[in-house]
Amino acid sequence: MKKTNKRLALAGLSTAALLLLSGCVQTHRVNGILVPTQAAQHGFIYTWLVRPMSDFIDLFAHNMHLGYGLGIILVTLIIRLLILPLGLNQAYKSTYMQEKMAYLQPVFAPLNERLKNATTSEEKMAAQQALMQAQKDNGVNMLSSIGCLPMLIQWPFFIALYNAAMYTPGIMASTFMGINLAKPSLILTIISGVLYFLQTWISTFGMSDEQKKTSKTMLIMSPAMIVVFSFMAPAAAALYWAVGGLVIVIQQVIITFIMKPNMKKKIDAEFKTNPPKVMDAPKDVTPNAVQENFKAITSQPNATEQKHATKKSGRNAGKQKRD
């Protein structure tokens, strides 16, 4: 049942994302070909994003007589390579924090276990505070590696490329290496899925067993979504996903085999100079009334203490009589 729900959720997410991309430009069919409406052609997205990207494709396809297939490939490569440094920078921050978390796992493991075994809200709050303090003391801040700016910058390019590949005049009547760009292509769908699977698979290199477990979902979901996108869209859009997948594989190779080893050396050097800090026991966060009651109870002497106190008072009394 769980697997079925996951598959349905994945299919729904994929369809929603595809509709979001394609829904940015309203379309209708003319002679069986899907084209933007007149209103869409005067809209903001088409005027400032899709049309310039379409003209860029035409520059290679029509003006330089390379054809629309090569035009899509070249434009996708140029745009992807232009934003590659931004993607690498964000990936560096994210991967650096992940590697640092893995290095500090022996420090965080007891705190995570305490949080997991907490039975009351007060215990959970104390354990959470202890974990957050330990992360802060050791320079770990996962939020710093989650930036919205890179995605915000990349998204307009993706929207423009996707819609330009879909609606540039002439693309839907063209072929590339025998592939009809107006119809879904099984070959391009397979290529796109393989490339995105390769990217996620390479990303697992050097991971701990625990990290690999959490990456299994992404290992399946990312290529599955791309396969759905490519299979539901014309080959022109699938060609865009395939070329983009190639660039993403190159980016992942750089991260895994060049960046990660350097990160590990940097982290080792950092903690040799400043050894990891182990968090002390969490401070008491129970309500004041509970603390006061606890102090009142624990301040009362137990039976043994009362017995010793009685003997002591008796000796003192006898001593005072002798005096």
Side-chain angles (χ1 to χ4, degrees):
M1 187 66 180
K2 290 183 178 180
K3 289 184 178 180
T4 303
N5 290 336
K6 286 182 179 180
R7 289 170 183 171
L8 290 173
L10 177 59
L13 181 63
S14 303
T15 304
L18 183 60
L19 289 174
L20 176 64
L21 281 171
S22 59
C24 294
V25 177
Q26 294 181 344
T27 60
H28 62 166
R29 290 191 178 276
V30 176
N31 297 325
I33 298 176
L34 204 62
V35 297
T37 62
Q38 287 294 324
Q41 291 182 32
H42 294 88
F44 176 83
I45 290 178
Y46 193 88
T47 301
W48 295 101
L49 294 178
V50 180
R51 184 174 290 141
M53 194 64 70
S54 180
D55 292 339
F56 199 16
I57 293 174
D58 270 330
L59 175 66
F60 294 103
H62 186 67
N63 296 356
M64 299 181 67
H65 308 288
L66 296 176
Y68 283 102
L70 279 176
I72 293 171
I73 291 174
L74 290 173
V75 169
T76 303
L77 284 174
I78 290 170
I79 298 300
R80 285 279 189 173
L81 291 175
L82 283 176
I83 62 178
L84 181 62
L86 186 66
L88 286 174
N89 179 59
Q90 189 60 33
Y92 179 88
K93 292 179 181 178
S94 177
T95 308
Y96 177 74
M97 280 300 165
Q98 290 173 5
E99 290 297 317
K100 204 167 187 179
M101 285 285 287
Y103 186 97
L104 292 167
Q105 186 59 28
V107 175
F108 297 144
L111 298 174
N112 283 318
E113 189 66 21
R114 181 188 299 166
L115 180 61
K116 180 181 177 181
N117 296 330
T119 56
T120 66
S121 58
E122 289 80 13
E123 289 177 354
K124 289 180 181 179
M125 187 184 300
Q128 186 67 44
Q129 286 183 349
L131 180 59
M132 291 174 65
Q133 187 61 46
Q135 291 176 345
K136 182 180 179 181
D137 290 343
N138 289 285
V140 173
N141 182 9
M142 294 304 294
L143 294 179
S144 66
S145 63
I146 304 174
C148 295
L149 183 61
M151 285 303 300
L152 290 176
I153 293 176
Q154 293 179 51
W155 194 242
F157 288 110
F158 295 159
I159 292 175
L161 272 170
Y162 178 87
N163 286 282
M166 289 280 289
Y167 308 124
T168 298
I171 285 184
M172 293 295 104
S174 301
T175 60
F176 175 69
M177 298 183 67
I179 299 173
N180 188 343
L181 296 178
K183 297 180 179 180
S185 169
L186 181 60
I187 295 174
L188 290 177
T189 297
I190 293 172
I191 292 173
S192 300
V194 169
L195 287 171
Y196 278 85
F197 177 83
L198 186 61
Q199 181 263 327
T200 52
W201 178 62
I202 293 173
S203 69
T204 62
F205 285 18
M207 284 186 176
S208 64
D209 292 338
E210 189 66 27
Q211 288 176 316
K212 285 181 180 180
K213 287 180 182 178
T214 59
S215 299
K216 281 184 179 180
T217 302
M218 186 57 66
L219 189 65
I220 298 172
M221 182 175 290
S222 178
M225 289 177 65
I226 294 301
V227 166
V228 173
F229 292 160
S230 302
F231 189 73
M232 294 176 64
L239 183 59
Y240 153 69
W241 290 115
V243 176
L246 178 62
V247 177
I248 287 178
V249 169
I250 294 172
Q251 176 178 306
Q252 191 60 56
V253 168
I254 294 171
I255 294 168
T256 302
F257 298 108
I258 298 176
M259 285 187 174
K260 272 191 177 183
N262 291 330
M263 284 179 196
K264 290 179 179 179
K265 291 178 182 178
K266 181 180 178 181
I267 292 170
D268 286 339
E270 283 181 8
F271 286 113
K272 280 182 180 178
T273 306
N274 300 302
K277 299 177 183 179
V278 180
M279 181 63 192
D280 295 331
K283 65 179 183 179
D284 193 356
V285 294
T286 54
N288 292 333
V290 176
Q291 292 185 38
E292 290 172 1
N293 291 337
F294 180 78
K295 288 178 181 177
I297 293 171
T298 54
S299 64
Q300 296 178 4
N302 56 31
T304 304
E305 291 172 337
Q306 286 180 346
K307 185 177 180 181
H308 286 299
T310 303
K311 288 181 178 180
K312 185 176 181 181
S313 61
R315 287 195 301 269
N316 291 338
K319 184 178 181 181
Q320 288 175 357
K321 286 181 180 180
R322 286 195 299 271
D323 292 341

